[in-house]
Amino acid sequence: MVYVKLESDWTDGNGVNHSAGESVDVDAATLATLQAEGIVSEQSHGPGGDSKGPDKWAGPGSPGV
């Protein structure tokens, strides 16, 4: 799973609406779809702007944490 910040509003597969600026946890396939649709940027970061590379953050459950 990858934590990303939405650039525009998005409704997930469960019908839950998410607003632009909201951070959500998505799987790799969903991330690819969101990037292709311009809903997330290529350089999304986790909470506080920390990044371990594009679209990754060292949060709970991350390898090496």
Side-chain angles (χ1 to χ4, degrees):
M1 299 295 268
V2 180
Y3 203 69
V4 295
K5 184 174 179 181
L6 301 173
E7 300 292 326
S8 61
D9 295 345
W10 171 63
T11 302
D12 67 24
N14 294 321
V16 177
N17 294 319
H18 301 277
S19 300
E22 187 176 340
S23 294
V24 295
D25 201 17
V26 297
D27 60 34
T30 302
L31 174 61
T33 300
L34 294 176
Q35 286 176 330
E37 295 175 0
I39 296 172
V40 298
S41 67
E42 294 291 324
Q43 294 293 323
S44 295
H45 301 289
D50 294 330
S51 176
K52 296 292 183 184
D55 305 309
K56 307 225 183 310
W57 69 289
S62 295
V65 174

